[in-house]
């Protein structure tokens, strides 16, 4: 459009592609500061420059403490209407599962865990697999990892675990001795260590990795009856993992390979798919099992609790803007819809507070008003205020003076509950104790024996490489756990450490071979230059 001031000559030409500032003012010179003479100095009233630079200074929100490095995509979940051969309504009244062929929009974020937003995607690390379902009853977040278990079973240990796995607070370098110091002192972690130090610790990409809800949840039917459930995502593209050597070769070429792989596949129409399976168990303590169903360090054996298909996930659209959609996407384990519920899983209870709390800190109190996080249905609350609020969640016809409930003056009202509420019976003393069935090595031995020979070789090689640089007391504890898990596992680890080269440093990414020599190599290989 042209300047429309009557009788005045236009002072600029503007159309839909014209650059403006945030006030909507057209920018006529985006190349030069306003200065006294063309050499400067600059003047303080450079509004366009100050707006541009001050926004640039604030372009990054605080990184996620964990899962900072991520990639995401849009798609849909299509339900089968059944769980195995049975109607899904037998177990859950959640609407998104009921009708065969029903599609629910989703946004999925994949991630690495420990390192920062631009860290290599080849590092030995769990991978996050978080799915936001925009259901007709509001959002459901299924937040999990690629590995189906976890390092710990009690949420109070989570900050210490992450501190140990993060870079050293003095050197700012990840240190395998710190990692194994925590793990050797927390023997419940040994099953997860067995997975992470095997090729399963480095998925080839995001498309060809599994996902898991990790925690134990509940499904609730219309009668208020509950069952325990575990969620599993299985890639229809197949599963591929990398050895340490292969990962290092890829990292030498690209540290964004998994993000690029996901983006490229969707752009060319090769939409990745996963099938969602659940395992179901009655809502009891199950004393007949040698593990507690609520223990996140344990797998539910699929010969006793078979995987039952319930639907499929398809990713068919890349984000239009990375920051707006991927970086600002926010997930929480407490985000459930009717028909889904929490179990007493102690890790789940802790995550349910932590996940949403960290998003309020990271993006602000109104992070749920951002389009990527907002449900695709009506929202009406009595919450208002806080940084970056851009609307009030007011219902049509709501008395704007009434921001509380209950009220007889035209305020919001409670929804009527039609289905029977789930009312679990809770009884016991308030204690600070570990769960009773806490065998830390049995399933690790089963996992080791299930590995193929090349996976066993890679596991032992990676463990020996890192443990050989650790304090002998840490080595002894890890050997003892391996021996307890499986005779061959323990023997191979012991023999490997007895014959290992102990020189070098533990200050390198997990599993990395020779990384401590990189500073000297850079100096030796560097080409001398004269100053200019």
């Amino acid at each position: 459009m042209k300047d429309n001031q009557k009788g005045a000559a236009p002072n600029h030409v503007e159309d839909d592609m014209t650059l403006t500032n945030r006030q909507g003012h057209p920018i006529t010179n985006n190349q030069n500061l306003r200065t006294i003479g063309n050499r400067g100095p600059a003047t303080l009233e450079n509004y366009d420059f100050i707006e541009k630079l001050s926004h640039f200074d604030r372009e990054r929100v605080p990184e996620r403490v964990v899962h900072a490095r991520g990639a995401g995509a849009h798609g849909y979940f299509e339900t089968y209407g059944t769980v195995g051969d049975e109607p899904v309504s037998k177990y859950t009244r959640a609407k998104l599962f009921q009708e065969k062929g029903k599609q629910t929009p989703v946004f999925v974020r994949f991630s690495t865990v420990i390192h920062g937003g631009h860290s290599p995607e080849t590092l030995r690390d769990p991978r996050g697999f978080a799915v936001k379902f925009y259901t007709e009853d509001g959002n459901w977040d299924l937040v999990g990892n690629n590995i189906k278990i976890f390092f710990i079973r009690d949420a109070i240990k989570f900050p210490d675990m992450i501190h140990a796995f993060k870079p050293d607070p003095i050197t700012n370098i990840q240190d395998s001795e710190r990692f194994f110091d925590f793990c050797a002192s927390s023997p419940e972690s040994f099953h997860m260590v067995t997975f992470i130090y095997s090729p399963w610790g480095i998925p080839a990409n995001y498309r060809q990795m599994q996902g898991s809800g990790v925690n134990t949840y509940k499904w609730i039917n219309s009668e208020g009856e509950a069952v325990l459930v575990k969620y599993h995502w299985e890639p229809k593209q197949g599963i591929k993992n990398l050895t340490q050597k292969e990962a290092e070769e890829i990292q030498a070429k690209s540290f964004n390979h998994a993000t690029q792989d996901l983006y490229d596949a969707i752009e060319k129409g090769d939409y990745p798919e996963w099938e969602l399976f659940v395992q179901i168990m009655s809502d009891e303590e199950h004393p007949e099992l040698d593990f507690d169903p609520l223990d996140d360090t344990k797998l539910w054996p699929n010969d006793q609790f078979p995987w039952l298909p319930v639907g499929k996930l398809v990713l068919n659209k890349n984000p239009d803007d990375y920051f707006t959609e991927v970086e600002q996407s926010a997930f929480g384990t407490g985000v459930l819809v009717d028909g889904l519920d929490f179990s007493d899983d102690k890790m789940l209870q802790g995550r349910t507070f932590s996940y949403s709390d960290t998003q309020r800190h990271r993006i602000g109190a109104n992070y749920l008003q951002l389009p990527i996080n907002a449900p695709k249905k009506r929202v009406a609350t009595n919450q208002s205020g806080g940084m970056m609020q851009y609307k009030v969640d007011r219902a049509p016809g709501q008395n704007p003076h009434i921001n509380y409930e209950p009220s007889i003056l035209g305020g919001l009202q409670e929804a009527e509950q039609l289905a029977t509420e789930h009312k679990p019976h809770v009884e016991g003393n308030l204690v600070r104790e570990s769960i009773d069935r806490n065998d830390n090595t049995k399933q690790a031995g089963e996992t080791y024996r299930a590995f193929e020979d090349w996976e066993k070789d890679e596991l032992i090689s990676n463990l020996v490489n890192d443990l050989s640089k650790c304090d002998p007391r840490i080595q002894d504890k890890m050997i003892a756990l391996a021996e307890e898990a499986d005779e061959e596992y323990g023997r191979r680890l012991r023999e490997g450490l007895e014959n290992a080269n102990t020189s070098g440093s533990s200050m390198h990414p997990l599993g990395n071979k020779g990384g401590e020599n990189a500073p000297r190599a850079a100096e030796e290989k560097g080409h001398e230059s004269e100053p200019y």
Side-chain angles (χ1 to χ4, degrees):
M1 99 186 152
K2 293 188 176 181
D3 191 302
N4 60 1
Q5 185 179 354
K6 270 192 176 182
N11 55 21
H12 63 270
V13 176
E14 180 179 354
D15 60 26
D16 290 343
M17 293 299 295
T18 299
L19 177 68
T20 76
N21 65 19
R22 277 286 173 85
Q23 302 286 6
H25 306 160
I27 303 293
T28 58
N29 189 332
N30 193 43
Q31 316 307 316
N32 301 288
L33 279 169
R34 197 174 189 188
T35 58
I36 301 172
N38 59 25
R39 296 180 63 245
T43 58
L44 183 62
E45 44 71 31
N46 266 276
Y47 181 86
D48 290 345
F49 166 72
I50 290 172
E51 182 192 88
K52 182 179 181 181
L53 198 63
S54 60
H55 185 275
F56 174 79
D57 293 342
R58 293 163 175 80
E59 279 184 359
R60 298 294 180 265
V61 298
E63 254 187 16
R64 291 167 168 85
V65 177
V66 288
H67 298 277
R69 169 59 130 139
H74 298 269
Y76 64 88
F77 173 77
E78 182 176 311
T79 183
Y80 300 155
T82 53
V83 53
D85 297 326
E86 300 181 290
V88 74
S89 58
K90 176 179 178 181
Y91 299 104
T92 179
R93 61 187 188 233
K95 292 178 183 175
L96 82 158
F97 289 122
Q98 302 305 315
E99 181 185 341
K100 181 179 180 179
K102 182 184 180 70
Q103 293 186 354
T104 300
V106 300
F107 182 78
V108 178
R109 186 177 187 272
F110 304 101
S111 57
T112 57
V113 176
I114 292 302
H115 295 281
H118 288 284
S119 55
E121 292 179 305
T122 47
L123 295 178
R124 186 169 302 282
D125 202 15
R127 303 301 195 267
F129 194 127
V131 184
K132 185 180 296 293
F133 299 79
Y134 301 98
T135 87
E136 62 191 284
D137 275 343
N139 289 352
W140 168 36
D141 291 351
L142 179 54
V143 191
N145 289 335
N146 64 316
I147 304 294
K148 300 177 184 301
I149 57 170
F150 202 57
F151 291 95
I152 52 177
R153 59 171 69 98
D154 195 307
I156 200 171
K157 299 182 72 168
F158 188 79
D160 296 292
M161 183 197 82
I162 296 301
H163 285 172
F165 296 0
K166 285 278 193 183
D168 183 296
I170 307 302
T171 66
N172 198 35
I173 300 170
Q174 191 178 30
D175 193 320
S176 57
E177 186 171 61
R178 287 162 41 83
F179 175 90
F180 281 111
D181 185 28
F182 178 87
C183 292
S185 305
S186 306
E188 71 269 28
S189 68
F190 190 70
H191 193 188
M192 187 67 167
V193 169
T194 299
F195 270 111
I196 290 297
Y197 267 78
S198 79
W200 292 86
I202 313 180
N205 52 55
Y206 297 133
R207 290 183 306 110
Q208 294 174 298
M209 76 177 194
Q210 296 171 300
S212 170
V214 180
N215 298 117
T216 302
Y217 287 89
K218 287 183 182 180
W219 272 3
I220 313 297
N221 66 15
S222 293
E223 286 70 49
E225 299 164 337
V227 290
L228 302 176
V229 295
K230 288 271 197 182
Y231 297 102
H232 303 279
W233 296 106
E234 292 302 305
K236 292 191 173 184
Q237 299 74 236
I239 302 168
K240 288 191 174 182
N241 300 315
L242 297 171
T243 65
Q244 183 68 36
K245 182 175 183 294
E246 291 163 346
E248 290 174 3
E249 290 170 351
I250 292 168
Q251 183 175 323
K253 302 293 184 182
S254 173
F255 62 91
N256 307 293
H257 81 283
T259 294
Q260 181 180 345
D261 174 83
L262 179 67
Y263 183 89
D264 288 349
I266 294 173
E267 280 299 289
K268 67 184 181 185
D270 183 13
Y271 302 141
E273 298 185 19
W274 287 260
E275 192 162 28
L276 179 61
F277 294 84
V278 296
Q279 290 177 286
I280 294 178
M281 191 184 298
S282 59
D283 185 16
E284 302 170 84
E285 293 187 16
H286 290 276
E288 76 282 2
L289 299 175
D290 62 4
F291 66 93
D292 193 304
L294 305 184
D295 184 348
D296 290 341
T297 69
K298 301 294 189 294
L299 296 168
W300 290 7
N302 57 15
D303 57 342
Q304 298 178 63
F305 307 98
W307 290 18
L308 305 172
V310 296
K312 70 174 183 177
L313 169 71
V314 179
L315 297 182
N316 58 9
K317 182 182 181 300
N318 281 313
D320 293 321
D321 181 77
Y322 179 87
F323 180 84
T324 304
E325 297 163 64
V326 182
E327 184 62 22
Q328 290 195 133
S329 63
F331 299 84
T333 55
V335 184
L336 305 177
V337 294
D338 185 52
L340 313 177
D341 210 340
F342 308 98
S343 75
D344 297 330
D345 179 339
K346 290 197 280 187
M347 278 298 297
L348 175 59
Q349 302 280 323
R351 291 177 79 199
T352 294
F353 165 75
S354 180
Y355 272 61
S356 295
D357 182 60
T358 197
Q359 303 302 346
R360 295 184 186 99
H361 159 70
R362 197 174 69 89
I363 325 175
N366 290 300
Y367 75 97
L368 291 174
Q369 291 189 343
L370 295 172
I372 192 64
N373 298 319
K376 298 184 186 299
K377 66 176 291 291
R378 58 172 292 278
V379 173
T381 76
N382 286 322
Q383 300 171 14
S384 63
M387 291 180 63
M388 303 302 289
Q389 175 179 295
Y390 65 90
K391 64 177 181 178
V392 178
D393 301 331
R394 194 171 288 142
Q398 179 182 350
N399 185 339
H401 298 282
I402 308 302
N403 60 351
Y404 52 87
E405 191 280 330
S407 169
I408 58 175
L409 300 177
L412 299 173
Q413 300 177 1
E414 296 172 322
E416 182 182 359
Q417 172 80 309
L418 298 178
T420 303
E421 186 176 355
H422 174 52
K423 298 179 180 179
H425 177 74
V426 180
E427 180 179 317
N429 297 322
L430 286 173
V431 297
R432 295 188 181 189
E433 299 174 354
S434 177
I435 58 175
D436 293 332
R437 287 165 284 171
N438 53 15
D439 186 312
N440 295 316
T441 58
K442 180 175 182 290
Q443 286 200 2
E446 294 168 352
T447 293
Y448 175 81
R449 290 186 290 275
F451 282 162
E452 297 180 24
D453 288 344
W454 73 274
E455 292 175 308
K456 291 180 180 179
D457 294 344
E458 184 72 7
L459 167 66
I460 298 300
S461 173
N462 293 328
L463 285 172
V464 168
N465 178 70
D466 278 2
L467 278 170
S468 63
K469 312 301 189 294
C470 293
D471 186 294
R473 293 169 294 180
I474 295 174
Q475 295 179 12
D476 290 343
K477 280 194 172 186
M478 295 303 296
I479 291 170
L481 289 169
E483 289 175 335
E484 191 176 297
D486 180 88
E487 185 278 330
E488 178 190 287
Y489 192 175
R491 174 175 51 78
R492 291 187 66 181
L493 183 58
R494 179 182 293 278
E495 291 172 353
L497 286 171
E498 288 172 349
N499 298 317
N501 179 1
T502 59
S503 63
S505 168
S506 61
M507 294 191 298
H508 54 239
L510 301 184
N512 175 279
K513 290 179 170 62
E516 65 274 12
N517 300 320
R520 175 61 59 86
E523 181 181 3
E524 292 175 349
K525 293 177 185 295
H527 299 275
E528 292 186 2
S529 300
E530 294 296 324
Y532 62 88

